[in-house]
Amino acid sequence: MEISDILMLLTPIGAVLALGFAVYNGMKVMKYPEGSAQVQSISEKIRKGANAFLRRQYTVVAVFFALMLVVLCVMAGFGFLTWFVPFAFVTGGFFSGLSGFVGMKLATYANSRTATASKESLNKGLRVAFSAGSVMGFTVVGLGLFDLAIWYYLLHYVFGRGIAETTAAMLTFGMGASCMALFARVGGGIFTKAADVGADLVGKVEAGIPEDDPRNPAVIADNVGDNVGDVAGMGADLYESYVGAIVASCALGVAAFPQFNATQGSPAVTIPMAMAGIGVIITIIGSFLIRTKENATQKALLAALRRGTNFSAFAIAILAFPLVKVMLPDNIGVYGAVLSGLFAGVGIAFFTEYYTSDNYKPTRDLAESTKTGSATLIIGGLSLGMLSTAIPLLIVCASILVSYFVAGGAGNPALGLYGIGISAVGMLSTLGLTLANDSYGPVADNAGGIAEMAGLEPEVRKRTDALDSLGNTTAAVGKGFCIGAGALTALALIAAYIDRVAVLTVTALENAITKVTNMDVATLRENLNLASLTVNEQVAALREHAEIVGAEISRAATFNFNLAIDTPTVLVGLFIGGMLPFVFTALTMKSVGRAAQKIVVEVRRQFREIKGLMEGTAEADYATCVDLCTRSALREMVLPTILAIASPIATGLILGPNGVVGLLIGCTVSGFMMAIMTANSGGAWDNAKKYIEAGHHGGKGSDAHKAAVVGDTVGDPLKDTCGPSIDILLKLSSMVSIVFAALVLSFHFLQ
Amino acid sequence: MEISDILMLLTPIGAVLALGFAVYNGMKVMKYPEGSAQVQSISEKIRKGANAFLRRQYTVVAVFFALMLVVLCVMAGFGFLTWFVPFAFVTGGFFSGLSGFVGMKLATYANSRTATASKESLNKGLRVAFSAGSVMGFTVVGLGLFDLAIWYYLLHYVFGRGIAETTAAMLTFGMGASCMALFARVGGGIFTKAADVGADLVGKVEAGIPEDDPRNPAVIADNVGDNVGDVAGMGADLYESYVGAIVASCALGVAAFPQFNATQGSPAVTIPMAMAGIGVIITIIGSFLIRTKENATQKALLAALRRGTNFSAFAIAILAFPLVKVMLPDNIGVYGAVLSGLFAGVGIAFFTEYYTSDNYKPTRDLAESTKTGSATLIIGGLSLGMLSTAIPLLIVCASILVSYFVAGGAGNPALGLYGIGISAVGMLSTLGLTLANDSYGPVADNAGGIAEMAGLEPEVRKRTDALDSLGNTTAAVGKGFCIGAGALTALALIAAYIDRVAVLTVTALENAITKVTNMDVATLRENLNLASLTVNEQVAALREHAEIVGAEISRAATFNFNLAIDTPTVLVGLFIGGMLPFVFTALTMKSVGRAAQKIVVEVRRQFREIKGLMEGTAEADYATCVDLCTRSALREMVLPTILAIASPIATGLILGPNGVVGLLIGCTVSGFMMAIMTANSGGAWDNAKKYIEAGHHGGKGSDAHKAAVVGDTVGDPLKDTCGPSIDILLKLSSMVSIVFAALVLSFHFLQ
């Protein structure tokens, strides 16, 4: 066994450890008592609603996957894809969906237990909620590494394929994961925000009853939403981010080190895979560092969480060095790319916290602007979000330049692009822990809801509120982190797309030549000594040879990349790509608005028609609201997903691959802006409201508070439906382009 | 005299006719009676406030221009610029400012006359307001053509310069005009919206008094704002758009037809200049077609306006054919570019009307969403704005592709880029009339304010409201039009930038060679036969020669364009450029918010401290509010302008010209989105409010109306401050890049 094979084992080992740690945490959660009969009954209602939604959602998604499977099989039949691709696509979708399902399942058991544990102490509550978050975090990374390992070893050992074909197939399961993630995020996001906005609009604003009041008919739907949107949706989403970054780096590694293409493994592939495995081991250790004293302050809680992530980032920074040194001793600059990714992650996290936490000036100023009403609050929040894009963007730009140049991009662009991919992997290597921090928030939120509905002592609600508020900040930080990594991953995928098109052009040329010369491809490649050349060099050599032998050139074989930004196809692609996140945000916002209005109508109807509801003598019809949300979410999630998949294909068929590259980059640029803006505007509005509720500017019930509720309501769909979905959109459109590259290459109209 | 010289005379003839027509309209306005003493006194207060603001604003701007003049002179002294540039810069700024000043001056005389004429009939009111708008429209195009003609003839006949140097100098006065425009739009925009928002927040929302009530201390400031923002700001802005499109096309014409470089004129320059002259003549005729019957409906009014613009577009479409046929008989495809521009303008105008007029579904749905409160209205308006970017964007993309390819871009990219420039000129050739339609709105708005304050009969207010509402739609259409043309102009300017850098590289190489060979530049150019080559070919030939003679190559001479979109400098430039409109919007919004809050505090103070104000027995202290707005606007307009100027220079020094091109294109893409989104969201909110005020969903004073006021208040800064300023930002950053190209080329860090 070579050292490379041993290091590669870190991937399956990481997968097993992560899944084991998830089970360990799950058992820890289940050991806690669930609480009183009333708590149990409420929790069961939420669980049932969440399960019902997921079942129906996954049914719709299954139909979509079946259709896509047929499309991909037909394409494989015509030779546009290898036969691995359709099945890789399905497994990606399956594991992504499974990540969401497992996380959500546990969250719906953990909510009541967190509420009950919070009766004892804040620390106990934190432990249960954080354990539930850890189940999610480590399920995502565990299943991700598991899927990666399966496909790698399967193609490598069972089918004996070369590393290039292996990484190409792995990119496709990234596409499956992205499709599933988009459905989960958009569907779950519409569900949760329609319920939340609808419940608030009638409950808080019109009827004047507090949040999570059991008299509100939409209250169970609201709590179900936390689980299906903020937990299941996020799980599928982050599975996609994690796997996407790794497979993109692998593909770029293959392109950057063509000397390994003839062999079955490549050190450039081992690095991201092994680094992900190391990340799992480190973050498991890191999560044991998260402990607080009994009755710790919120600041101490945040410090405890930070201790865990900082340790992990630091440890990975150290361990990545020997990994790169052993695998790519002549390209130690790649280590610099890892560092730049880790630093960028820390930087983005800090500035997200700065812009959205009420410990800092921006959110406090925003809270202050409620004094002049909701209009100035909206103006302030929008401008805060727009302004907050600047620093994360500059950090990502610095990360692009540093990782490109330290990895050797000045001499060989392919190395530089590999560096960008590796920096994304570096940023996401602590994901297990980041995600655990990120996803205990909704559990705490749910626990608070249950405490309110079950009429537990006010002290319990206060504790769950403290956890929830902390969760708001960690969630915003997690989002900033994911968007940063998402932009880098998207760029890596775009580079992979360019490489893929070049490889397809090579294949088309090879076929054209072998047709007239009756030579087999292997001999041709050997004669021209192609194995040692980069793809672009291969295209040049083959084109020359094709002319000599008089081969008939197909449409695909004539394609030339002309990526100059002032080429009209690239330029128009850029414009169209720049538009996509705007239209996508508009569609998802409108969906939430429409669905919320239905909830409003239904809640008003119940208040009007159910006698004794406001007095607390009759029970609300929770199930109808859950059902309304479910139906709206399922109906509304289809159009945005189709838009995301169809746009790059349609653009490709008209403008050709040059236009597609323009589209993908345009989409990444404006999507990055929109994702950060929506996340931070929404987060700041939410926390400005919480800041006022904590007693500032007149506290709950004041005019300032009423204005703040408007801001929070506007921000809800922005931060929890639109923003996270855009992040997926960026990567999905790249992956779709890669999978459909052969089709587009054969049938494009303009060049 | 050749035919080309005769056609070129259309420019000065157009200038004289336009200015004459403006004077004629101005005299028509002044002939109307001003009205009662009270009307006169109110109008005088507004006039005084507006004059005072403009005087103080122009003083600040003069200081800025003086500083820039010094900077440019120093650069000229070091040989980075020709000595014409600093003075061209100043004249551009001067005429742009003058356009705004003349238009505003007349608007402040026309407001009282419109109010008085509306006492007689709607048609009379329309005539006065429209005549005032025509003064503005034709002053802008007249001064624009005048400035163009002066510089063209001066450089041509007096200094005997070649066409390349002439167009280069003309680009600089575009930069002067853009700087002035940005100050005027940002400063005026902050003034008007701070006053408007401030007056509404306290007056309408808190005190419950109607709009334009004389008891509101901010009411005069609000009316002053209409004049300094919506009239003077718009005048300077459109002067910039108009001149920018023409000079960009001229510069691209020079690049596309190098065979004329040795001569003093070029048919490719004659076409845009003469077409602008023809446009003036046609639109003067068109404006006589705008007549309505006594007591016409709003629909008939709109139809009358449309008749004028449609006639003009049609006539220009016909007359452009012989112009192109005579000037460029071998490139008749350029005529297709004119048509594509005209069509795109009409298309964008229609869809802007669709999204923002309450005759159509989107705005009606938006009005309906007020039923569930201001939060759903804000969500709805934001998503409407985002969605409305799609069609205008696709129209612009189609226009780019069509004008590029019909002009011959497939064979020669320079021809294609010239086509894009010409399509922008085509779109803007009807500007005189569009602008007249656009700028009578604020006059009507002011007239309504005066009618209210002077206590004229309610019938008068109703008539001015009808005019104002119509003005809202024509203003939104005008904005859509300008943004579309702005995007095309920005692209043309970017192409001009690329060409400029290439020309500078040629010069640097020539200097390096002549230094070692002791040959003069003319001989060198003749020896290498450079005159007949494109710039890129010249660079190649010179570089080869430089190696042969062993010339020492400076930093500027080594530069190579590598505009591939996956080059890290281009990519990072794209990201930074994509961010600029977000940050710019954030800054201007924040400025309005801050200034408005000051007004709120002051108005509240006056209501509290001035006894008898609410009862109408004491007069408010209007002057303090005007002064507050003035100071805020002047202070807040500086930072955004500096950002716009400094960003491309700083980016250029770090990333080099490749990064600058990325920045400019990124800025154009995301700026286009933001400009359309802000304009349409704002317009739709405004009209949704008007729709409710017309009696729908409960009418004035209902909860729906209260929610609608919030939407309108949020939309105000978006549509009247941020959006129009972004449109200028796009072009200003390109022009700054062009002017500072030599500096950046000599001192850039990365490539």
Side-chain angles (χ1 to χ4, degrees), chain A residues 197 201 206 368-376 378-380 382-384 386-387 389-391 393-394 396-398 400-401 404-405 417 420 487 491 498 563-583 585-587 589-590 592-593 596-597 600 604 654-655 661-662 665-666 668-670 672-674 677-678 685 709-710 713-715 717-718 750-751, chain B residues 197 201 206 368-376 378-380 382-384 386-387 389-391 393-394 396-398 400-401 404-405 417 420 487 491 498 563-583 585-587 589-590 592-593 596-597 600 604 654-655 661-662 665-666 668-670 672-674 677-678 685 709-710 713-715 717-718 750-751:
Chain A
V197 170
L201 281 178
E206 291 179 18
E368 170 113 28
S369 75
T370 53
K371 281 186 179 170
T372 38
S374 52
T376 43
I378 299 291
I379 293 177
L382 287 175
S383 66
L384 180 149
M386 289 179 188
L387 200 60
T389 58
I391 294 176
L393 182 123
L394 292 176
V396 166
C397 285
I400 290 171
L401 289 176
Y404 184 89
F405 286 110
L417 296 170
I420 292 179
L491 292 179
I498 296 173
L563 292 177
I565 198 170
D566 55 345
T567 311
T569 45
V570 176
L571 199 57
V572 167
L574 262 175
F575 269 99
I576 295 176
M579 173 195 71
L580 286 181
F582 280 78
V583 170
T585 306
L587 290 178
M589 275 180 94
K590 254 189 175 357
V592 171
Q597 278 179 340
V600 166
R604 282 184 185 158
I654 298 170
L655 301 178
V661 175
I665 291 184
T668 306
V669 171
S670 93
F672 181 81
M673 296 295 158
M674 289 293 278
M677 179 198 142
T678 51
W685 273 320
V709 170
V710 172
T713 310
V714 171
L718 283 177
L750 292 172
Q751 275 222 358
Chain B
V197 170
L201 280 177
E206 290 181 16
E368 171 114 28
S369 75
T370 53
K371 281 185 178 170
T372 38
S374 52
T376 43
I378 299 290
I379 293 177
L382 286 175
S383 65
L384 179 150
M386 288 178 189
L387 200 60
T389 58
I391 295 177
L393 183 123
L394 293 175
V396 166
C397 286
I400 291 171
L401 289 176
Y404 184 90
F405 286 110
L417 296 170
I420 293 178
L491 292 178
I498 296 172
L563 292 178
I565 198 169
D566 56 345
T567 311
T569 46
V570 177
L571 199 57
V572 166
L574 262 174
F575 269 100
I576 294 176
M579 171 195 73
L580 285 182
F582 281 78
V583 170
T585 307
L587 289 179
M589 276 180 95
K590 254 190 179 350
V592 172
Q597 279 179 339
V600 167
R604 281 182 184 159
I654 298 170
L655 301 178
V661 175
I665 291 184
T668 305
V669 171
S670 92
F672 181 81
M673 297 295 161
M674 289 293 278
M677 178 200 145
T678 51
W685 274 319
V709 170
V710 172
T713 311
V714 172
L718 282 177
L750 292 173
Q751 275 224 358

Side-chain angles (χ1 to χ4, degrees), chain A residues 170-196:
Chain A
M170 280 158 69
L171 275 175
T172 330
F173 84 70
M175 177 185 160
S178 289
C179 281
M180 180 65 229
L182 198 60
F183 277 116
R185 260 302 188 190
V186 174
I190 292 172
F191 187 115
T192 178
K193 290 305 139 183
D196 192 356

Side-chain angles (χ1 to χ4, degrees), chain A residues 100-140:
Chain A
F101 176 75
V102 170
M104 192 209 75
K105 197 84 189 166
L106 204 96
T108 57
Y109 284 108
N111 52 12
S112 51
R113 289 170 169 83
T114 304
T116 305
S118 294
K119 280 169 87 170
E120 287 183 53
S121 74
L122 181 65
N123 199 14
K124 279 255 167 79
L126 173 65
R127 274 195 203 153
V128 182
F130 188 74
S131 291
S134 299
V135 173
M136 165 64 106
F138 287 92
T139 303
V140 164

Side-chain angles (χ1 to χ4, degrees), chain A residues 528-544:
Chain A
L528 293 176
N529 198 15
L530 294 185
S532 64
L533 302 178
T534 65
V535 250
N536 286 328
E537 291 163 353
Q538 293 180 30
V539 171
L542 283 165
R543 220 162 251 164
E544 201 177 309

Side-chain angles (χ1 to χ4, degrees), chain B residues 38 255 302 306 344 508 691:
Chain B
Q38 202 185 353
L302 207 55
R306 268 213 206 108
Y691 184 71

Side-chain angles (χ1 to χ4, degrees), chain B residues 258-531:
Chain B
Q259 63 269 36
F260 298 107
N261 279 10
T263 60
Q264 287 194 337
S266 164
V269 171
T270 307
I271 289 181
M273 300 274 275
M275 199 154 69
I278 294 174
V280 168
I281 301 168
I282 296 296
T283 46
I284 289 177
I285 301 172
S287 72
F288 283 107
L289 294 178
I290 299 177
R291 238 175 283 178
T292 55
K293 279 189 209 142
E294 205 45 58
N295 295 322
T297 60
Q298 194 178 320
K299 226 175 181 175
L301 286 176
L302 207 55
L305 292 179
R306 268 213 206 108
R307 207 181 312 133
T309 28
N310 286 349
F311 160 80
S312 306
F314 193 71
I316 289 169
I318 291 173
L319 290 174
F321 184 78
L323 176 64
V324 176
K325 184 80 190 163
V326 167
M327 288 282 87
L328 291 173
D330 301 334
N331 300 82
I332 193 67
V334 168
Y335 175 64
V338 177
L339 288 187
S340 95
L342 281 168
F343 273 116
V346 173
I348 291 176
F350 173 74
F351 282 100
T352 311
E353 195 182 324
Y354 174 75
Y355 276 108
T356 58
S357 155
D358 59 16
N359 288 321
Y360 298 97
K361 199 169 174 292
T363 299
R364 291 199 174 180
D365 284 355
L366 190 63
E368 171 114 28
S369 75
T370 53
K371 281 185 178 170
T372 38
S374 52
T376 43
L377 175 77
I378 299 290
I379 293 177
L382 286 175
S383 65
L384 179 150
M386 288 178 189
L387 200 60
S388 73
T389 58
I391 295 177
L393 183 123
L394 293 175
I395 291 176
V396 166
C397 286
S399 181
I400 291 171
L401 289 176
V402 168
S403 53
Y404 184 90
F405 286 110
V406 296
N412 177 0
L415 279 176
L417 296 170
Y418 177 61
I420 293 178
I422 286 293
S423 74
V425 176
M427 207 188 263
L428 287 175
S429 54
T430 59
L431 186 79
L433 205 55
T434 319
L435 185 48
N437 288 351
D438 200 350
S439 61
Y440 85 91
V443 174
D445 192 359
N446 247 257
I450 292 177
E452 187 86 31
M453 283 185 271
L456 302 185
E457 313 79 275
E459 190 56 29
V460 178
R461 175 74 198 213
K462 237 185 212 165
R463 285 180 188 145
T464 59
D465 268 359
L467 291 175
D468 184 21
S469 160
L470 181 63
N472 252 335
T473 301
T474 57
V477 170
K479 270 173 206 153
F481 207 78
C482 276
I483 296 164
L488 291 174
T489 303
L491 292 178
L493 287 169
I494 294 166
Y497 171 72
I498 296 172
D499 184 62
R500 174 97 187 113
V501 171
V503 168
L504 287 169
T505 312
V506 166
T507 312
L509 280 163
E510 285 169 357
N511 291 343
I513 294 170
T514 49
K515 214 177 192 176
V516 287
T517 57
N518 281 323
M519 191 191 283
D520 67 32
V521 172
T523 321
L524 172 68
R525 292 188 64 89
E526 208 171 303
N527 284 353
L528 294 176
N529 198 13
L530 294 185

